[in-house]
Amino acid sequence: MWFTLLGPVRVLREEREVRLGGPQQRAFLALLLAAAGQPVGVDDLVDGLWGQDPPPTALNVLHRNVGRLRRALEPGLPAREAGRWLLPAAGGYRLAVDAAGADLLLFREQVARARAAAAEDRPAEAVDHYVRALGLWQGAVAAGIPPAVRARPVFVALDREYAATVGVAANYALAVGRPAPLLPAVRAAAEREPLDELLQARLVQLLAATGRRSAARDHYLQVRARLAEDLGIDPGPELTAAGEDVLRRPAAQPGARASMTGPAARLSMTGPAQPGAWASVARPAQLPADPPVFEGRHAELAQLPAPEEDHAGPDAAQVRVIYGMGGIGKTTLAVRWAHQVAHHYADGQLFLNLRGFHPSDQAMSAGEALDTLLAGLGVAAEEIPVDVEARAALFRDRVAGRRMLLLLDNARDARQVRPLLPASPGCLVIVTSRNRLDGLAGAHPLVLEPLPAREAADLLRARLGAARVEAEPDATAQILSLCGGLPLALVAVAARALTHPSFTLASIATELRQARGNLDGFTGFDATAAPQAVFSWSYRALTPAAARLFRLLGTAPGPDISASAAAGLAGLSLSGVRPPLLELTAAHLLTEHVPGRFTFHDLIRAYAAETAAEEEADHDVSAALHRLLDHYLRTAHRCSELIKPGQNTIPFPEPQDGVTPDPIDDTVRALAWFGAEEDAVLATVEHAARLGLDHHVAHLAWSAHTYLILMRPAERVLALARTAVRATERLGDPRMHAHALHALASACTRAGLPGEAHDAYRRALSLFTELGDVKGQSVAHLELTRLHDRQGRYQEALRHARRCLVLSRQEGATPFEEAGALNAVGWVLIRLGEPRAGLAYSRRSLKLQTNVVGQSFVLYTIGWAHHLLGEHRAAIDNYRRSLALGDGQSWHGRDHDALVLERLGDALDAAGDPGAARSSWRAALERLYDSRTEARAALTAKLDGGSAHGQGRRSP
């Protein structure tokens, strides 16, 4: 006997279909099959067949169905006998089936085998099992039963189990270069769920990977248009990444391995932990590029075991510490090994430079490191705890049960690393340091010594070519001796030789020896002196413009610098700074680690700083720092104005000559600029504070606050705000001090410190009142509205909102400010249970609002008011308009879009369109940060139940 549920509900006996009767009889069998051999209670069967309103005769009808199904399955069965297949069990019935007789059970068995093959690093075999599993599906689950029964949660869960399996299988097929076998299943799944963006993204990728790039492009454009028409939204990040890939990349060869390092790789290749579970989990791929030239270190690589050979114990991650002096090649070896074993860690890789030996002595704190790691795992900034121990616990929780690789580069000591270690035994942690880190319990150390002469010579051959090296064996031997086996020094020498192909190696050896001193001094070799000699030699070969830029870059704070910031530092135009930057990168004194951003090796940075101290006049260094500060300030001011118009009202000092801000002209670019420059800007603020440049500290901190308060963890925002408060206190400028207190208050609100926030707002409001600053007072009242709203103190919130509205209408105020105040009053009235009154205020706000992000917020408020009034069509229209304006420009982040999508789904459900409601809820779940566990659970419950009715309503 063969029972099918994965498509039409059927029973085959010796390849002949059994006559099952009408739709209700098939629905009864489908409910039993969905239980996969487990008992189904009588009450559950009644609910499944009739829902919340069963007829009085429901039990009698159910018992008749039992008898009819038994006779259909076993025609000769005597009356009142259970027979072989349909058995009484635990107050109900169960169907006695196994994987040999039921497609659902066979499907799950094949999926389990696929997972086992994947866990044992047999991805091709996993694909075979997935193909067999998905081939069992012959259409929508339980096809042919009444639609009301088909909508029950048990069948919806099977749909989701199928979609999840399709996504995971597609990932493996793409990863191993076998997309064709999965294409039919993914195409069928995508057709059944036309608004499921994850499935549509997989179909686009598979079409492209099988050489059907034109079809992939057309399909993406069709889905994008459908989303816009049906939901009023643009594609999310998964589908956008897949679409942009086919729109921009050249055609791939059929069967080529697809990249799984972008947003599409967020779905863990290990798949759901339980049948039907679906997790949108961040799958980072942060490893630096594999070194294109790598020679030597054969003995060291042999000491680093393959993951299956490394036993860390049942409760711990594997930890490998690679240590040695600066310039010895620790990071290069770690990155090479990480790439060799990365395929064993299907849940992703995280990389972090801990800056343990940065010349500024500003090593990354454990808290800052955890912020970055959690962000890489998809945790929203506002969900990251302030307490470092709590952050570490959250990190361990996010990594638990996952196979991940962490590369922690340039660690100072064990204390810095210890909070960053996951507890999961499926993880590998690679740490590089100049110290042994003996305090890391269970870590396996590997010391790097200078390269042996043979491997050092291999490195030169790889860089310069064997013919050139072997043509001058004596000169090569001198160079190897002078570089002392240090890869950093050897690479710098090779760069000099490549830049000047007409130079003989003998002349280069002579130059290097002269920079170092008499060769006799090398008999007692000091490895730490070799890189200094090479740096000095490379530096002396630079043109004057490149040498000056090298010195000034050594004085710049921050881990890296953009080309435009370097131009500001040097007082050059962007076109004027490019030639010296290219010269420095060609000499391997500077690295362009991402396009347009440059960084030093720590040893080279220290040498540059020492050289600047020796050769640059103090006033020249001071002028360069002022130009850099002016560059950051002008650009940050422009970006903050784009993100939040009217934010900056404090006049700031005139910039020095030679300062040109970056040309930023929209909100998206403003957010991108802050995201790229954040670390550099914060380091520059700290440096300026140490030098007593309080005006720059106050202005730059205020401009950066606009971005940080929205996008970054509370601890970082608090630290900057407190720095600004101290700077403005020293300045004695009450206006700037009021703005700094305002920033501190909003940071305290984010950090969950309402008492300190209220005190800072009160002090800021007092100063603004004394100064007669109406705008400042208005903004302070608006923020106090939000603070009291968060605390549920709605009457206090309404009092501040109305005071804000009065102030926003005084002379000098802008329509933008009045619009914000009107919507605040409307919002609080809705909170107080007066949606009709609130709607009137928000409609007036919309007429004044000119900023698209502000319009998005107001439209959401209007939609919420209509929703509460039962005016669902109006609510749907306004939610969709809010999404259309906010999507892609939303400085308020993904969570706001997710909330609007959830509300849209609720309204669609209430309006009688459950299919569109589920699509909207799925889109909300996709956009929601992984850390929003409560919100994710609420959305999942709605998707499981197919309705928002009875679900708790989240506060906006």
Side-chain angles (χ1 to χ4, degrees):
M1 199 84 78
W2 177 248
F3 295 82
T4 70
L5 178 67
L6 310 182
V9 179
R10 302 167 67 205
V11 180
L12 298 178
R13 182 191 300 113
E14 297 177 348
E15 299 185 358
R16 286 188 157 189
E17 186 168 349
V18 174
R19 299 184 64 178
L20 295 174
Q24 190 181 75
Q25 188 81 22
R26 291 176 184 273
F28 173 64
L29 175 59
L31 289 167
L32 293 169
L33 286 171
Q38 299 301 309
V40 185
V42 169
D43 289 343
D44 291 331
L45 288 166
V46 170
D47 286 344
L49 290 170
W50 290 285
Q52 300 300 313
D53 191 24
T57 58
L59 287 177
N60 290 333
V61 174
L62 179 64
H63 290 142
R64 283 199 298 272
N65 283 333
V66 170
R68 289 170 181 166
L69 181 57
R70 282 174 172 165
R71 287 192 293 275
L73 297 178
E74 299 177 79
L77 187 70
R80 300 186 182 279
E81 286 197 18
R84 173 185 175 186
W85 298 105
L86 183 53
L87 307 176
Y93 300 92
R94 78 177 184 90
L95 204 61
V97 292
D98 58 17
D103 61 357
L104 175 61
L105 286 166
L106 181 57
F107 165 78
R108 288 178 175 167
E109 179 181 272
Q110 288 294 327
V111 169
R113 290 180 179 178
R115 290 175 180 159
E120 296 169 6
D121 197 24
R122 303 194 308 274
E125 183 180 333
V127 171
D128 292 335
H129 287 299
Y130 277 126
V131 170
R132 285 193 283 271
L134 294 171
L136 295 166
W137 287 74
Q138 302 300 309
V141 67
I145 69 174
V149 182
R150 173 65 180 75
R152 303 290 184 238
V154 63
F155 300 115
V156 173
L158 288 173
D159 282 338
R160 292 174 61 230
E161 183 178 349
Y162 173 66
T165 304
V166 168
V168 175
N171 282 351
Y172 275 109
L174 289 164
V176 302
R178 291 180 55 202
L182 260 295
L183 185 58
V186 177
R187 195 195 296 274
E191 287 174 356
R192 285 203 288 272
E193 295 290 345
L195 296 178
D196 187 320
E197 294 189 42
L198 288 171
L199 285 175
Q200 303 304 328
R202 298 298 178 271
L203 179 54
V204 169
Q205 290 172 314
L206 286 168
L207 286 168
T210 52
R212 306 173 194 182
R213 185 161 294 274
S214 178
R217 182 180 63 251
D218 292 343
H219 184 72
Y220 169 70
L221 294 174
Q222 291 168 7
V223 174
R224 187 173 69 179
R226 188 184 304 129
L227 290 170
E229 181 178 347
D230 292 354
L231 297 181
I233 62 173
D234 289 335
E238 298 274 358
L239 183 55
T240 297
E244 289 179 349
D245 190 64
V246 297
L247 291 174
R248 292 193 297 205
R249 285 194 185 182
Q253 294 301 316
R257 292 177 184 243
S259 168
M260 296 302 295
T261 59
R266 285 195 191 120
L267 177 64
S268 169
M269 289 173 70
T270 57
Q274 300 293 335
W278 175 260
S280 176
V281 179
R283 184 182 181 273
Q286 297 180 354
L287 287 181
D290 199 10
V293 177
F294 185 91
E295 291 293 333
R297 298 301 185 197
H298 307 298
E300 289 83 355
L301 281 170
Q303 294 180 57
L304 296 170
E308 61 268 20
E309 300 169 359
D310 205 346
H311 304 286
D315 301 315
Q318 307 164 28
V319 182
R320 293 279 162 175
V321 177
I322 301 174
Y323 73 97
M325 64 170 292
I328 202 71
K330 301 181 295 295
T331 301
T332 302
L333 176 64
V335 171
R336 167 50 60 99
W337 184 47
H339 276 281
Q340 288 180 348
V341 300
H343 64 284
H344 291 279
Y345 300 94
D347 292 320
Q349 313 96 40
L350 293 164
F351 172 81
L352 199 58
N353 179 3
L354 296 174
R355 304 196 302 267
F357 297 90
H358 193 278
S360 67
D361 202 34
Q362 295 292 311
M364 183 179 285
S365 68
E368 186 182 353
L370 286 164
D371 289 344
T372 306
L373 292 172
L374 287 167
L377 293 171
V379 179
E382 60 268 31
E383 292 292 302
I384 296 176
V386 175
D387 181 71
V388 174
E389 290 186 7
R391 259 177 278 181
L394 179 60
F395 173 66
R396 291 192 296 271
D397 177 69
R398 292 295 172 210
V399 177
R402 302 173 69 182
R403 290 188 61 81
M404 299 196 73
L405 187 155
L406 279 73
L407 176 45
L408 304 176
D409 191 33
N410 202 7
R412 178 181 290 251
D413 51 35
R415 181 180 177 184
Q416 185 187 28
V417 172
R418 202 173 291 116
L420 314 181
L421 298 180
S424 176
C427 293
L428 169 66
V429 183
I430 307 171
V431 186
T432 72
S433 180
R434 297 184 194 175
N435 300 321
R436 276 180 57 94
L437 307 187
D438 289 329
L440 285 183
H444 300 274
L446 173 66
V447 61
L448 288 195
E449 302 289 356
L451 287 171
R454 178 178 295 177
E455 292 188 354
D458 289 342
L459 178 57
L460 275 185
R461 288 188 189 93
R463 294 272 175 173
L464 300 179
R468 190 172 180 186
V469 170
E470 291 167 5
E472 298 184 70
D474 293 340
T476 297
Q478 290 182 39
I479 290 172
L480 295 177
S481 176
L482 289 164
C483 290
L486 287 182
L488 183 65
L490 288 163
V491 168
V493 170
R496 172 81 166 144
L498 286 171
T499 305
H500 300 282
S502 63
F503 288 12
T504 64
L505 294 186
S507 66
I508 290 174
T510 300
E511 286 183 357
L512 184 56
R513 187 169 57 250
Q514 289 171 349
R516 179 69 183 268
N518 191 293
L519 189 60
D520 293 339
F522 284 83
T523 52
F525 172 69
D526 173 10
T528 62
Q532 295 290 329
V534 173
F535 303 156
S536 173
W537 166 70
S538 299
Y539 168 71
R540 299 303 169 196
L542 295 172
T543 62
R548 175 176 176 267
L549 181 61
F550 178 76
R551 294 191 298 271
L552 293 178
L553 288 172
T555 70
D560 65 356
I561 193 168
S562 68
S564 58
L569 178 76
L572 299 171
S573 65
L574 189 57
S575 60
V577 83
R578 284 189 176 122
L581 282 173
L582 289 173
E583 187 176 345
L584 291 172
T585 55
H588 280 263
L589 292 174
L590 199 64
T591 301
E592 190 174 9
H593 65 111
V594 295
R597 300 197 68 82
F598 301 85
T599 189
F600 283 121
H601 187 283
D602 286 351
L603 290 178
I604 301 177
R605 184 188 295 273
Y607 177 76
E610 291 171 6
T611 308
E614 293 171 359
E615 300 184 22
E616 287 287 335
D618 290 345
H619 64 85
D620 288 335
V621 172
S622 178
L625 177 61
H626 274 77
R627 286 192 299 268
L628 181 63
L629 283 163
D630 286 342
H631 168 81
Y632 285 139
L633 178 55
R634 262 62 195 172
T635 312
H637 178 276
R638 171 63 178 155
C639 291
S640 68
E641 274 295 305
L642 287 165
I643 295 170
K644 194 171 184 181
Q647 171 83 353
N648 283 296
T649 59
I650 318 171
F652 46 74
E654 285 300 312
Q656 296 197 27
D657 292 339
V659 174
T660 303
D662 287 328
I664 309 294
D665 54 11
D666 61 42
T667 306
V668 174
R669 289 184 177 86
L671 289 168
W673 184 87
F674 269 124
E677 297 287 0
E678 178 186 340
D679 288 337
V681 167
L682 293 181
T684 303
V685 170
E686 292 175 6
H687 188 61
R690 287 193 294 271
L691 295 177
L693 302 174
D694 290 331
H695 273 96
H696 280 92
V697 170
H699 288 295
L700 191 50
W702 179 245
S703 293
H705 176 82
T706 307
Y707 168 82
L708 294 174
I709 194 66
L710 299 166
M711 307 299 290
R712 301 301 295 139
E715 182 190 43
R716 178 166 283 204
V717 189
L718 270 173
L720 180 67
R722 287 180 169 142
T723 298
V725 168
R726 289 192 294 269
T728 54
E729 282 176 339
R730 290 191 295 268
L731 284 172
D733 184 325
R735 186 179 304 278
M736 296 184 73
H737 191 50
H739 282 286
L741 285 167
H742 176 273
L744 175 62
S746 59
C748 289
T749 301
R750 269 284 310 278
L753 304 170
E756 189 176 347
H758 190 275
D759 179 65
Y761 277 135
R762 182 186 53 77
R763 291 162 60 197
L765 182 57
S766 177
L767 284 171
F768 285 133
T769 304
E770 290 175 12
L771 293 164
D773 186 336
V774 174
K775 180 180 176 62
Q777 294 174 62
S778 176
V779 172
H781 280 293
L782 183 60
E783 294 300 335
L784 282 164
T785 301
R786 291 168 179 162
L787 176 62
H788 288 301
D789 178 63
R790 287 190 179 201
Q791 295 176 294
R793 299 166 63 184
Y794 301 130
Q795 290 295 344
E796 280 293 298
L798 185 60
R799 182 175 68 82
H800 284 289
R802 283 181 166 151
R803 181 58 184 159
C804 174
L805 180 57
V806 170
L807 291 165
S808 71
R809 288 170 170 169
Q810 294 190 16
E811 187 177 353
T814 66
F816 176 82
E817 294 160 29
E818 185 179 354
L822 282 165
N823 196 51
V825 174
W827 180 268
V828 180
L829 285 170
I830 296 170
R831 289 284 221 184
L832 286 166
E834 300 179 42
R836 185 68 68 190
L839 183 59
Y841 277 94
S842 292
R843 280 175 172 163
R844 285 154 62 193
S845 170
L846 188 62
K847 291 179 180 178
L848 295 174
Q849 185 62 263
T850 57
N851 176 268
V852 291
V853 176
Q855 290 170 354
S856 174
F857 271 120
V858 177
L859 286 165
Y860 168 63
T861 306
I862 291 172
W864 190 42
H866 281 298
H867 194 158
L868 294 178
L869 289 165
E871 298 165 354
H872 302 305
R873 274 293 138 207
I876 290 166
D877 290 344
N878 282 282
Y879 288 148
R880 283 176 170 166
R881 289 175 64 197
S882 174
L883 287 165
L885 287 173
D887 194 37
Q889 305 184 65
S890 53
W891 52 265
H892 45 309
R894 291 185 350 207
D895 275 355
H896 177 79
D897 293 340
L899 179 55
V900 180
L901 281 163
E902 182 183 2
R903 296 286 192 196
L904 173 61
D906 295 347
L908 287 164
D909 183 53
D913 193 346
R918 282 194 294 274
S919 296
S920 190
W921 290 329
R922 285 193 197 99
L925 197 60
E926 167 64 20
R927 281 160 174 75
L928 201 63
Y929 281 105
D930 296 338
S931 56
R932 294 290 203 178
T933 51
E934 220 176 286
R936 295 185 71 82
L939 280 163
T940 302
K942 290 176 183 180
L943 286 164
D944 285 343
S947 173
H949 300 313
Q951 298 291 343
R953 299 281 179 167
R954 281 193 294 142
S955 296

